[in-house]
Amino acid sequence: MFKKTLVVCIAVGLFVLSACKKNDVSTNQLDASIVQKIKALGFDTSRIIPMGKGFIVENDIYLSRTYLDSKVPSSPVIQIAKTEQYRTYNIVTGLPRVIKVALDGSANTVFFQQAVDEAIARFNDLGYQLTFQRVSTGQDILVKGYYEVSTSLGYAGDGVNDATGFPDVNGNPASVININTYYISTVNSVGYTASIIQHEIGHTIGFRHTDYFNRASCGINVAEPVNPLGAVQIPGTPSGADYRSWMEACHAGTGSSTFSQYDMFALAYLFTANGDPGAQPITDFYHAANSDHAFTPNQNFNYFYSGWVNNGRVFRAFLKPATGRIPVYEYYNSSLKDHCLSLTANDPSILQYPNWSMTGLIFYVYSTPVAGSVPIYTYYSSVGTNHYYTKVSNFQTIMPEYRNDGVVFYAAP
């Protein structure tokens, strides 16, 4: 049986999810009408695996024959860019809404409870109108376990009960997520298991794979179907590939990776009233060899850049402009190996010195205090040629080599 598998990509030092080949059926062995229906919905047809009353496509999505026979909506595809986040035509509706998640007997262990709770916490921490709750009964989504001696991870949907891995036409989430208990037991990581569950929940609420059109994260290149009716591009996500997305076809990262900032844009577009992700955590990452701190909304930073350690969240900031918010720009010195922040684009007070360059706008804050906001101080160490940002006003008493250069901005409540 095919699901999603783990292989090692030595070239980049990352683990990625890829397809196993057990029970694969080549496209030319299937009824042509089936292949055409799958293609018409915008799914990759290079590998289709019969299962139960339907088929698994794109490694981890179950499509029932009933789903394939249903009428494809005729509304136009939003053409924004070829590499943005994508959703299906059916998404979860009825906001604000709490989706209830339960575990059946095959997965109801303390380990799986912790993994489900962590996945749920990652969604709920965003503060959107779609939230999740773990329950014992009365669930909307059931997490089931299956045992297979392989590196298979899991899939959304259920071939036994003809449950497709996407929301139904009534705006309800897909009802089943399957997780391979054998593989999870070999990894033995609550955080990594939470990332797998988080990805599959993404399918159940209406998300396609971010790179569905070429599956680049899997190391393959499958041509994008013409007019992919089942993949609607979400405005606000990047025009370049987002290889840190929680919905990559082959989920990258060796650990507990979570949402990229563009995933937050995509989720906010679908599950908030105004499409604004709001105040999101800014994480401090530290590189000991370079004595350098980087402050970013990308909580997966350390999974894609070697040598960096997650030092935890330090404050919250906004990802979109709005009245009262001002942009913060990041600068980097390639010689000193130092990151710093400024409220000025192409800041001459920074760029006048050798080897500094502006890497871009990274988030929005307040320039003056507002209700509930927090002052953020900038500190500088000439010993390590390092800038540091914190809401701690007496940081120099903890780290005497740092000089307090005052309040640089005010963080979100």
Side-chain angles (χ1 to χ4, degrees), residues 86-150:
Y86 294 82
R87 68 169 176 86
T88 61
Y89 276 106
N90 295 338
I91 61 170
V92 169
T93 58
L95 305 178
R97 184 171 181 179
V98 178
I99 301 297
K100 297 177 181 179
V101 183
L103 298 97
D104 80 348
S106 58
N108 196 11
T109 64
V110 172
F111 178 88
F112 271 98
Q113 290 170 3
Q114 292 173 340
V116 168
D117 287 345
E118 182 169 330
I120 285 174
R122 295 177 188 177
F123 280 99
N124 292 350
D125 189 51
L126 297 173
Y128 300 162
Q129 291 184 313
L130 186 68
T131 56
F132 296 81
Q133 176 186 1
R134 182 164 64 83
V135 297
S136 299
T137 59
Q139 74 281 351
D140 300 295
I141 300 173
L142 182 65
V143 179
K144 299 172 64 175
Y146 67 92
Y147 186 89
E148 179 178 280
V149 181
S150 71

Short mmCIF file of all heavy atoms in Angstrom, two decimals, residues 86-150:
data_model
loop_
_atom_site.label_atom_id
_atom_site.label_comp_id
_atom_site.label_asym_id
_atom_site.label_seq_id
_atom_site.Cartn_x
_atom_site.Cartn_y
_atom_site.Cartn_z
N TYR A 86 -1.92 26.59 -2.58
CA TYR A 86 -3.12 26.22 -3.33
C TYR A 86 -4.16 25.60 -2.41
O TYR A 86 -3.83 24.91 -1.47
CB TYR A 86 -2.79 25.20 -4.43
CG TYR A 86 -1.90 25.74 -5.51
CD1 TYR A 86 -0.52 25.79 -5.33
CD2 TYR A 86 -2.43 26.21 -6.70
CE1 TYR A 86 0.30 26.30 -6.33
CE2 TYR A 86 -1.62 26.71 -7.70
CZ TYR A 86 -0.24 26.75 -7.51
OH TYR A 86 0.55 27.25 -8.49
N ARG A 87 -5.43 25.84 -2.76
CA ARG A 87 -6.51 25.18 -2.04
C ARG A 87 -7.39 24.45 -3.04
O ARG A 87 -7.28 24.64 -4.25
CB ARG A 87 -7.36 26.21 -1.28
CG ARG A 87 -8.18 27.14 -2.20
CD ARG A 87 -9.18 27.93 -1.38
NE ARG A 87 -9.94 28.89 -2.15
CZ ARG A 87 -11.06 28.63 -2.82
NH1 ARG A 87 -11.52 27.39 -2.87
NH2 ARG A 87 -11.69 29.57 -3.48
N THR A 88 -8.28 23.62 -2.54
CA THR A 88 -9.26 22.97 -3.39
C THR A 88 -10.50 23.87 -3.48
O THR A 88 -10.61 24.86 -2.77
CB THR A 88 -9.68 21.61 -2.80
OG1 THR A 88 -10.26 21.84 -1.52
CG2 THR A 88 -8.50 20.69 -2.66
N TYR A 89 -11.45 23.52 -4.35
CA TYR A 89 -12.68 24.28 -4.41
C TYR A 89 -13.48 24.12 -3.12
O TYR A 89 -14.13 25.06 -2.67
CB TYR A 89 -13.53 23.86 -5.62
CG TYR A 89 -13.10 24.58 -6.86
CD1 TYR A 89 -12.39 23.94 -7.86
CD2 TYR A 89 -13.41 25.93 -7.04
CE1 TYR A 89 -12.00 24.61 -9.00
CE2 TYR A 89 -13.02 26.61 -8.17
CZ TYR A 89 -12.31 25.95 -9.15
OH TYR A 89 -11.92 26.62 -10.26
N ASN A 90 -13.47 22.94 -2.53
CA ASN A 90 -14.17 22.74 -1.28
C ASN A 90 -13.24 23.04 -0.12
O ASN A 90 -12.17 22.43 0.00
CB ASN A 90 -14.66 21.29 -1.16
CG ASN A 90 -15.69 20.94 -2.21
OD1 ASN A 90 -16.35 21.82 -2.75
ND2 ASN A 90 -15.82 19.66 -2.50
N ILE A 91 -13.62 23.99 0.73
CA ILE A 91 -12.85 24.26 1.94
C ILE A 91 -13.81 24.25 3.12
O ILE A 91 -15.02 24.25 2.97
CB ILE A 91 -12.13 25.63 1.87
CG1 ILE A 91 -13.14 26.77 1.73
CG2 ILE A 91 -11.11 25.65 0.76
CD1 ILE A 91 -12.54 28.14 1.90
N VAL A 92 -13.24 24.20 4.32
CA VAL A 92 -14.05 24.22 5.52
C VAL A 92 -14.73 25.58 5.65
O VAL A 92 -14.09 26.62 5.50
CB VAL A 92 -13.19 23.92 6.76
CG1 VAL A 92 -13.97 24.19 8.04
CG2 VAL A 92 -12.72 22.47 6.73
N THR A 93 -16.02 25.58 5.93
CA THR A 93 -16.80 26.80 6.06
C THR A 93 -17.49 26.86 7.42
O THR A 93 -17.27 26.00 8.28
CB THR A 93 -17.86 26.89 4.93
OG1 THR A 93 -18.71 25.73 5.01
CG2 THR A 93 -17.20 26.93 3.57
N GLY A 94 -18.33 27.87 7.61
CA GLY A 94 -19.06 28.01 8.87
C GLY A 94 -18.25 28.65 9.96
O GLY A 94 -18.38 28.30 11.14
N LEU A 95 -17.41 29.62 9.60
CA LEU A 95 -16.53 30.27 10.57
C LEU A 95 -17.31 31.25 11.44
O LEU A 95 -18.30 31.83 10.99
CB LEU A 95 -15.42 31.02 9.82
CG LEU A 95 -14.58 30.18 8.85
CD1 LEU A 95 -13.56 31.07 8.16
CD2 LEU A 95 -13.92 29.01 9.54
N PRO A 96 -16.86 31.50 12.67
CA PRO A 96 -15.77 30.80 13.34
C PRO A 96 -16.18 29.37 13.69
O PRO A 96 -17.35 29.12 13.99
CB PRO A 96 -15.54 31.64 14.60
CG PRO A 96 -16.86 32.29 14.86
CD PRO A 96 -17.46 32.55 13.51
N ARG A 97 -15.22 28.49 13.65
CA ARG A 97 -15.56 27.07 13.81
C ARG A 97 -14.45 26.33 14.54
O ARG A 97 -13.26 26.61 14.34
CB ARG A 97 -15.77 26.44 12.44
CG ARG A 97 -16.21 24.99 12.48
CD ARG A 97 -16.61 24.53 11.10
NE ARG A 97 -17.06 23.14 11.11
CZ ARG A 97 -17.49 22.49 10.04
NH1 ARG A 97 -17.54 23.11 8.86
NH2 ARG A 97 -17.89 21.24 10.12
N VAL A 98 -14.85 25.40 15.40
CA VAL A 98 -13.91 24.53 16.10
C VAL A 98 -14.00 23.14 15.49
O VAL A 98 -15.09 22.54 15.47
CB VAL A 98 -14.21 24.47 17.61
CG1 VAL A 98 -13.23 23.51 18.30
CG2 VAL A 98 -14.14 25.86 18.24
N ILE A 99 -12.89 22.63 14.97
CA ILE A 99 -12.83 21.28 14.42
C ILE A 99 -12.36 20.33 15.51
O ILE A 99 -11.29 20.53 16.10
CB ILE A 99 -11.87 21.22 13.21
CG1 ILE A 99 -12.32 22.20 12.12
CG2 ILE A 99 -11.78 19.79 12.67
CD1 ILE A 99 -13.67 21.89 11.53
N LYS A 100 -13.14 19.29 15.75
CA LYS A 100 -12.82 18.35 16.83
C LYS A 100 -12.05 17.15 16.26
O LYS A 100 -12.44 16.58 15.24
CB LYS A 100 -14.11 17.88 17.51
CG LYS A 100 -14.85 19.04 18.19
CD LYS A 100 -16.15 18.58 18.82
CE LYS A 100 -16.87 19.75 19.47
NZ LYS A 100 -18.16 19.35 20.07
N VAL A 101 -10.96 16.81 16.95
CA VAL A 101 -10.06 15.74 16.49
C VAL A 101 -9.97 14.67 17.57
O VAL A 101 -9.74 14.98 18.75
CB VAL A 101 -8.65 16.29 16.20
CG1 VAL A 101 -7.74 15.19 15.66
CG2 VAL A 101 -8.72 17.47 15.22
N ALA A 102 -10.15 13.42 17.17
CA ALA A 102 -10.06 12.30 18.11
C ALA A 102 -9.10 11.25 17.56
O ALA A 102 -8.75 11.26 16.38
CB ALA A 102 -11.43 11.68 18.34
N LEU A 103 -8.67 10.35 18.42
CA LEU A 103 -7.81 9.24 18.02
C LEU A 103 -8.58 7.94 18.25
O LEU A 103 -9.21 7.77 19.31
CB LEU A 103 -6.51 9.21 18.82
CG LEU A 103 -5.60 10.42 18.67
CD1 LEU A 103 -5.82 11.39 19.83
CD2 LEU A 103 -4.14 10.00 18.64
N ASP A 104 -8.52 7.02 17.28
CA ASP A 104 -9.17 5.74 17.51
C ASP A 104 -8.22 4.83 18.29
O ASP A 104 -7.09 5.20 18.61
CB ASP A 104 -9.66 5.11 16.20
CG ASP A 104 -8.56 4.42 15.41
OD1 ASP A 104 -7.35 4.60 15.74
OD2 ASP A 104 -8.90 3.70 14.46
N GLY A 105 -8.67 3.62 18.59
CA GLY A 105 -7.90 2.73 19.44
C GLY A 105 -6.53 2.40 18.89
O GLY A 105 -5.59 2.12 19.65
N SER A 106 -6.36 2.45 17.57
CA SER A 106 -5.07 2.09 16.96
C SER A 106 -4.01 3.17 17.15
O SER A 106 -2.83 2.92 16.91
CB SER A 106 -5.28 1.83 15.46
OG SER A 106 -5.81 2.98 14.83
N ALA A 107 -4.42 4.36 17.57
CA ALA A 107 -3.46 5.45 17.74
C ALA A 107 -3.62 6.17 19.07
O ALA A 107 -2.93 7.16 19.31
CB ALA A 107 -3.62 6.45 16.59
N ASN A 108 -4.49 5.69 19.92
CA ASN A 108 -4.79 6.42 21.15
C ASN A 108 -3.79 6.07 22.25
O ASN A 108 -4.08 5.34 23.19
CB ASN A 108 -6.21 6.13 21.61
CG ASN A 108 -6.70 7.13 22.64
OD1 ASN A 108 -6.05 8.14 22.87
ND2 ASN A 108 -7.82 6.84 23.26
N THR A 109 -2.58 6.62 22.11
CA THR A 109 -1.53 6.45 23.11
C THR A 109 -1.11 7.84 23.58
O THR A 109 -1.43 8.86 22.97
CB THR A 109 -0.31 5.74 22.52
OG1 THR A 109 0.26 6.57 21.48
CG2 THR A 109 -0.70 4.39 21.90
N VAL A 110 -0.36 7.88 24.67
CA VAL A 110 0.12 9.17 25.18
C VAL A 110 0.96 9.87 24.13
O VAL A 110 0.85 11.09 23.94
CB VAL A 110 0.93 8.95 26.48
CG1 VAL A 110 1.60 10.26 26.92
CG2 VAL A 110 0.03 8.42 27.60
N PHE A 111 1.79 9.10 23.41
CA PHE A 111 2.65 9.69 22.38
C PHE A 111 1.81 10.38 21.30
O PHE A 111 2.06 11.54 20.95
CB PHE A 111 3.50 8.59 21.75
CG PHE A 111 4.40 9.06 20.64
CD1 PHE A 111 5.67 9.53 20.92
CD2 PHE A 111 3.97 9.05 19.32
CE1 PHE A 111 6.51 9.99 19.89
CE2 PHE A 111 4.79 9.50 18.29
CZ PHE A 111 6.07 9.97 18.58
N PHE A 112 0.80 9.70 20.78
CA PHE A 112 -0.02 10.27 19.73
C PHE A 112 -0.88 11.41 20.27
O PHE A 112 -1.14 12.39 19.56
CB PHE A 112 -0.90 9.21 19.07
CG PHE A 112 -0.23 8.53 17.91
CD1 PHE A 112 0.40 7.32 18.07
CD2 PHE A 112 -0.22 9.13 16.66
CE1 PHE A 112 1.03 6.70 17.00
CE2 PHE A 112 0.40 8.52 15.58
CZ PHE A 112 1.03 7.30 15.75
N GLN A 113 -1.33 11.30 21.49
CA GLN A 113 -2.09 12.39 22.09
C GLN A 113 -1.23 13.65 22.14
O GLN A 113 -1.69 14.76 21.82
CB GLN A 113 -2.55 12.01 23.50
CG GLN A 113 -3.63 10.94 23.54
CD GLN A 113 -3.88 10.42 24.94
OE1 GLN A 113 -3.29 10.89 25.91
NE2 GLN A 113 -4.75 9.42 25.05
N GLN A 114 0.03 13.50 22.53
CA GLN A 114 0.94 14.65 22.60
C GLN A 114 1.18 15.24 21.21
O GLN A 114 1.23 16.46 21.05
CB GLN A 114 2.26 14.24 23.25
CG GLN A 114 2.14 13.88 24.72
CD GLN A 114 3.44 13.31 25.29
OE1 GLN A 114 4.30 12.83 24.56
NE2 GLN A 114 3.57 13.35 26.61
N ALA A 115 1.33 14.36 20.22
CA ALA A 115 1.59 14.83 18.85
C ALA A 115 0.38 15.57 18.30
O ALA A 115 0.52 16.64 17.67
CB ALA A 115 1.96 13.66 17.95
N VAL A 116 -0.82 15.02 18.52
CA VAL A 116 -2.04 15.69 18.06
C VAL A 116 -2.20 17.02 18.77
O VAL A 116 -2.54 18.04 18.16
CB VAL A 116 -3.27 14.79 18.29
CG1 VAL A 116 -4.56 15.58 18.08
CG2 VAL A 116 -3.24 13.60 17.34
N ASP A 117 -1.95 17.04 20.08
CA ASP A 117 -2.07 18.28 20.85
C ASP A 117 -1.11 19.35 20.33
O ASP A 117 -1.46 20.53 20.26
CB ASP A 117 -1.81 18.03 22.34
CG ASP A 117 -2.96 17.29 23.02
OD1 ASP A 117 -4.05 17.22 22.42
OD2 ASP A 117 -2.75 16.78 24.13
N GLU A 118 0.10 18.94 19.98
CA GLU A 118 1.07 19.91 19.47
C GLU A 118 0.64 20.44 18.10
O GLU A 118 0.74 21.64 17.85
CB GLU A 118 2.47 19.29 19.38
CG GLU A 118 3.51 20.29 18.91
CD GLU A 118 4.94 19.80 19.06
OE1 GLU A 118 5.20 19.01 19.99
OE2 GLU A 118 5.79 20.22 18.26
N ALA A 119 0.17 19.55 17.23
CA ALA A 119 -0.31 20.00 15.92
C ALA A 119 -1.47 20.97 16.09
O ALA A 119 -1.54 22.01 15.41
CB ALA A 119 -0.72 18.79 15.07
N ILE A 120 -2.38 20.65 16.97
CA ILE A 120 -3.53 21.51 17.24
C ILE A 120 -3.08 22.87 17.77
O ILE A 120 -3.57 23.92 17.35
CB ILE A 120 -4.49 20.83 18.23
CG1 ILE A 120 -5.27 19.71 17.53
CG2 ILE A 120 -5.44 21.84 18.88
CD1 ILE A 120 -6.14 18.89 18.47
N ALA A 121 -2.10 22.85 18.69
CA ALA A 121 -1.61 24.09 19.28
C ALA A 121 -1.00 25.00 18.22
O ALA A 121 -1.13 26.23 18.29
CB ALA A 121 -0.59 23.79 20.37
N ARG A 122 -0.33 24.41 17.22
CA ARG A 122 0.28 25.23 16.16
C ARG A 122 -0.79 25.96 15.35
O ARG A 122 -0.60 27.12 15.00
CB ARG A 122 1.12 24.34 15.25
CG ARG A 122 2.33 23.72 15.93
CD ARG A 122 3.06 22.80 14.98
NE ARG A 122 4.11 22.04 15.65
CZ ARG A 122 4.86 21.12 15.04
NH1 ARG A 122 4.67 20.87 13.75
NH2 ARG A 122 5.79 20.47 15.71
N PHE A 123 -1.89 25.30 15.07
CA PHE A 123 -2.99 25.97 14.36
C PHE A 123 -3.64 27.03 15.25
O PHE A 123 -3.86 28.17 14.82
CB PHE A 123 -4.05 24.94 13.94
CG PHE A 123 -3.71 24.17 12.69
CD1 PHE A 123 -3.18 22.89 12.77
CD2 PHE A 123 -3.92 24.72 11.43
CE1 PHE A 123 -2.88 22.17 11.62
CE2 PHE A 123 -3.62 24.02 10.28
CZ PHE A 123 -3.09 22.74 10.38
N ASN A 124 -3.94 26.67 16.49
CA ASN A 124 -4.66 27.58 17.37
C ASN A 124 -3.83 28.81 17.73
O ASN A 124 -4.38 29.89 17.98
CB ASN A 124 -5.10 26.85 18.64
CG ASN A 124 -6.16 25.80 18.38
OD1 ASN A 124 -6.71 25.73 17.28
ND2 ASN A 124 -6.45 24.98 19.37
N ASP A 125 -2.52 28.65 17.76
CA ASP A 125 -1.63 29.76 18.10
C ASP A 125 -1.70 30.89 17.07
O ASP A 125 -1.35 32.03 17.36
CB ASP A 125 -0.19 29.26 18.24
CG ASP A 125 0.74 30.32 18.80
OD1 ASP A 125 0.40 30.90 19.85
OD2 ASP A 125 1.79 30.59 18.19
N LEU A 126 -2.16 30.57 15.86
CA LEU A 126 -2.26 31.58 14.82
C LEU A 126 -3.35 32.61 15.14
O LEU A 126 -3.28 33.75 14.69
CB LEU A 126 -2.55 30.93 13.46
CG LEU A 126 -1.48 29.98 12.92
CD1 LEU A 126 -1.99 29.30 11.66
CD2 LEU A 126 -0.18 30.72 12.64
N GLY A 127 -4.35 32.19 15.87
CA GLY A 127 -5.42 33.11 16.26
C GLY A 127 -6.44 33.36 15.18
O GLY A 127 -7.08 34.42 15.16
N TYR A 128 -6.66 32.39 14.28
CA TYR A 128 -7.61 32.57 13.19
C TYR A 128 -8.99 32.06 13.61
O TYR A 128 -9.19 31.60 14.72
CB TYR A 128 -7.11 31.85 11.93
CG TYR A 128 -5.76 32.36 11.44
CD1 TYR A 128 -4.99 31.61 10.57
CD2 TYR A 128 -5.25 33.59 11.86
CE1 TYR A 128 -3.76 32.07 10.11
CE2 TYR A 128 -4.03 34.06 11.42
CZ TYR A 128 -3.27 33.29 10.54
OH TYR A 128 -2.07 33.75 10.11
N GLN A 129 -9.93 32.12 12.67
CA GLN A 129 -11.31 31.74 12.99
C GLN A 129 -11.57 30.25 12.84
O GLN A 129 -12.69 29.80 13.08
CB GLN A 129 -12.28 32.53 12.10
CG GLN A 129 -12.31 34.01 12.43
CD GLN A 129 -13.35 34.74 11.61
OE1 GLN A 129 -13.45 34.57 10.40
NE2 GLN A 129 -14.13 35.58 12.27
N LEU A 130 -10.57 29.50 12.45
CA LEU A 130 -10.65 28.04 12.43
C LEU A 130 -9.69 27.50 13.48
O LEU A 130 -8.48 27.68 13.37
CB LEU A 130 -10.28 27.49 11.05
CG LEU A 130 -10.47 25.98 10.87
CD1 LEU A 130 -11.95 25.62 10.91
CD2 LEU A 130 -9.84 25.50 9.58
N THR A 131 -10.24 26.88 14.50
CA THR A 131 -9.42 26.33 15.57
C THR A 131 -9.74 24.84 15.74
O THR A 131 -10.69 24.32 15.15
CB THR A 131 -9.66 27.07 16.90
OG1 THR A 131 -11.06 27.02 17.22
CG2 THR A 131 -9.21 28.51 16.79
N PHE A 132 -8.94 24.16 16.56
CA PHE A 132 -9.05 22.71 16.71
C PHE A 132 -9.07 22.34 18.19
O PHE A 132 -8.52 23.04 19.04
CB PHE A 132 -7.88 22.01 16.01
CG PHE A 132 -7.86 22.23 14.52
CD1 PHE A 132 -7.35 23.40 13.98
CD2 PHE A 132 -8.37 21.27 13.66
CE1 PHE A 132 -7.34 23.62 12.61
CE2 PHE A 132 -8.37 21.48 12.28
CZ PHE A 132 -7.86 22.66 11.77
N GLN A 133 -9.68 21.20 18.46
CA GLN A 133 -9.78 20.70 19.84
C GLN A 133 -9.72 19.18 19.82
O GLN A 133 -10.41 18.54 19.03
CB GLN A 133 -11.10 21.17 20.46
CG GLN A 133 -11.35 20.64 21.86
CD GLN A 133 -12.74 21.01 22.37
OE1 GLN A 133 -13.51 21.64 21.67
NE2 GLN A 133 -13.06 20.60 23.58
N ARG A 134 -8.90 18.61 20.70
CA ARG A 134 -8.86 17.14 20.80
C ARG A 134 -9.98 16.68 21.71
O ARG A 134 -10.17 17.22 22.80
CB ARG A 134 -7.52 16.64 21.33
CG ARG A 134 -7.45 15.10 21.38
CD ARG A 134 -6.04 14.59 21.54
NE ARG A 134 -5.42 14.98 22.78
CZ ARG A 134 -5.58 14.34 23.95
NH1 ARG A 134 -6.39 13.28 24.02
NH2 ARG A 134 -4.95 14.75 25.03
N VAL A 135 -10.75 15.67 21.26
CA VAL A 135 -11.88 15.13 22.01
C VAL A 135 -11.78 13.61 22.04
O VAL A 135 -10.97 13.00 21.34
CB VAL A 135 -13.21 15.56 21.36
CG1 VAL A 135 -13.38 17.08 21.41
CG2 VAL A 135 -13.31 15.04 19.93
N SER A 136 -12.61 13.01 22.86
CA SER A 136 -12.67 11.55 22.93
C SER A 136 -13.70 10.97 21.97
O SER A 136 -13.50 9.91 21.37
CB SER A 136 -13.00 11.10 24.36
OG SER A 136 -12.01 11.53 25.26
N THR A 137 -14.81 11.69 21.82
CA THR A 137 -15.88 11.25 20.92
C THR A 137 -16.47 12.48 20.22
O THR A 137 -16.19 13.62 20.59
CB THR A 137 -17.00 10.52 21.69
OG1 THR A 137 -17.52 11.42 22.69
CG2 THR A 137 -16.47 9.25 22.35
N GLY A 138 -17.32 12.23 19.25
CA GLY A 138 -17.99 13.32 18.56
C GLY A 138 -17.06 14.13 17.68
O GLY A 138 -17.26 15.33 17.48
N GLN A 139 -16.07 13.47 17.11
CA GLN A 139 -15.04 14.16 16.35
C GLN A 139 -15.48 14.50 14.93
O GLN A 139 -16.39 13.89 14.37
CB GLN A 139 -13.77 13.30 16.27
CG GLN A 139 -13.86 12.10 15.33
CD GLN A 139 -14.59 10.92 15.92
OE1 GLN A 139 -14.91 10.90 17.10
NE2 GLN A 139 -14.87 9.92 15.08
N ASP A 140 -14.79 15.49 14.35
CA ASP A 140 -14.91 15.80 12.93
C ASP A 140 -13.82 15.06 12.14
O ASP A 140 -14.04 14.68 10.99
CB ASP A 140 -14.76 17.30 12.69
CG ASP A 140 -15.80 18.11 13.42
OD1 ASP A 140 -16.98 17.96 13.08
OD2 ASP A 140 -15.43 18.88 14.33
N ILE A 141 -12.66 14.90 12.76
CA ILE A 141 -11.53 14.20 12.14
C ILE A 141 -11.06 13.10 13.08
O ILE A 141 -10.83 13.36 14.27
CB ILE A 141 -10.35 15.17 11.86
CG1 ILE A 141 -10.79 16.29 10.92
CG2 ILE A 141 -9.16 14.42 11.26
CD1 ILE A 141 -9.73 17.37 10.74
N LEU A 142 -10.91 11.90 12.55
CA LEU A 142 -10.42 10.77 13.34
C LEU A 142 -9.01 10.43 12.88
O LEU A 142 -8.77 10.18 11.69
CB LEU A 142 -11.33 9.56 13.16
CG LEU A 142 -10.95 8.31 13.97
CD1 LEU A 142 -11.09 8.59 15.47
CD2 LEU A 142 -11.81 7.12 13.56
N VAL A 143 -8.06 10.43 13.81
CA VAL A 143 -6.68 10.02 13.52
C VAL A 143 -6.56 8.53 13.79
O VAL A 143 -6.78 8.07 14.91
CB VAL A 143 -5.67 10.80 14.38
CG1 VAL A 143 -4.24 10.33 14.08
CG2 VAL A 143 -5.80 12.29 14.14
N LYS A 144 -6.25 7.78 12.74
CA LYS A 144 -6.15 6.33 12.85
C LYS A 144 -4.71 5.88 12.64
O LYS A 144 -3.94 6.53 11.94
CB LYS A 144 -7.05 5.67 11.80
CG LYS A 144 -8.53 6.00 11.93
CD LYS A 144 -9.34 5.48 10.76
CE LYS A 144 -9.33 3.98 10.67
NZ LYS A 144 -10.23 3.49 9.59
N GLY A 145 -4.38 4.78 13.24
CA GLY A 145 -3.06 4.20 13.04
C GLY A 145 -3.15 2.96 12.16
O GLY A 145 -4.15 2.25 12.18
N TYR A 146 -2.12 2.72 11.37
CA TYR A 146 -1.98 1.46 10.65
C TYR A 146 -0.53 1.04 10.78
O TYR A 146 0.36 1.86 11.03
CB TYR A 146 -2.39 1.59 9.18
CG TYR A 146 -1.49 2.48 8.35
CD1 TYR A 146 -0.40 1.95 7.65
CD2 TYR A 146 -1.73 3.84 8.26
CE1 TYR A 146 0.43 2.77 6.89
CE2 TYR A 146 -0.93 4.66 7.51
CZ TYR A 146 0.16 4.13 6.82
OH TYR A 146 0.98 4.94 6.08
N TYR A 147 -0.28 -0.24 10.68
CA TYR A 147 1.07 -0.77 10.89
C TYR A 147 1.60 -1.33 9.60
O TYR A 147 1.02 -2.25 9.01
CB TYR A 147 1.05 -1.85 11.96
CG TYR A 147 2.42 -2.36 12.35
CD1 TYR A 147 3.14 -1.75 13.37
CD2 TYR A 147 2.99 -3.45 11.70
CE1 TYR A 147 4.40 -2.22 13.75
CE2 TYR A 147 4.25 -3.92 12.05
CZ TYR A 147 4.95 -3.31 13.07
OH TYR A 147 6.20 -3.76 13.43
N GLU A 148 2.70 -0.76 9.13
CA GLU A 148 3.35 -1.25 7.92
C GLU A 148 4.84 -1.12 8.09
O GLU A 148 5.35 -0.02 8.38
CB GLU A 148 2.88 -0.44 6.71
CG GLU A 148 3.53 -0.87 5.40
CD GLU A 148 2.99 -0.06 4.22
OE1 GLU A 148 1.90 -0.40 3.74
OE2 GLU A 148 3.66 0.90 3.82
N VAL A 149 5.57 -2.22 7.93
CA VAL A 149 7.03 -2.18 8.11
C VAL A 149 7.64 -1.52 6.88
O VAL A 149 8.00 -2.17 5.90
CB VAL A 149 7.60 -3.60 8.32
CG1 VAL A 149 9.10 -3.54 8.53
CG2 VAL A 149 6.92 -4.25 9.51
N SER A 150 7.72 -0.19 6.95
CA SER A 150 8.25 0.61 5.85
C SER A 150 8.50 2.01 6.37
O SER A 150 8.28 2.31 7.54
CB SER A 150 7.24 0.67 4.69
OG SER A 150 6.14 1.48 5.05
#
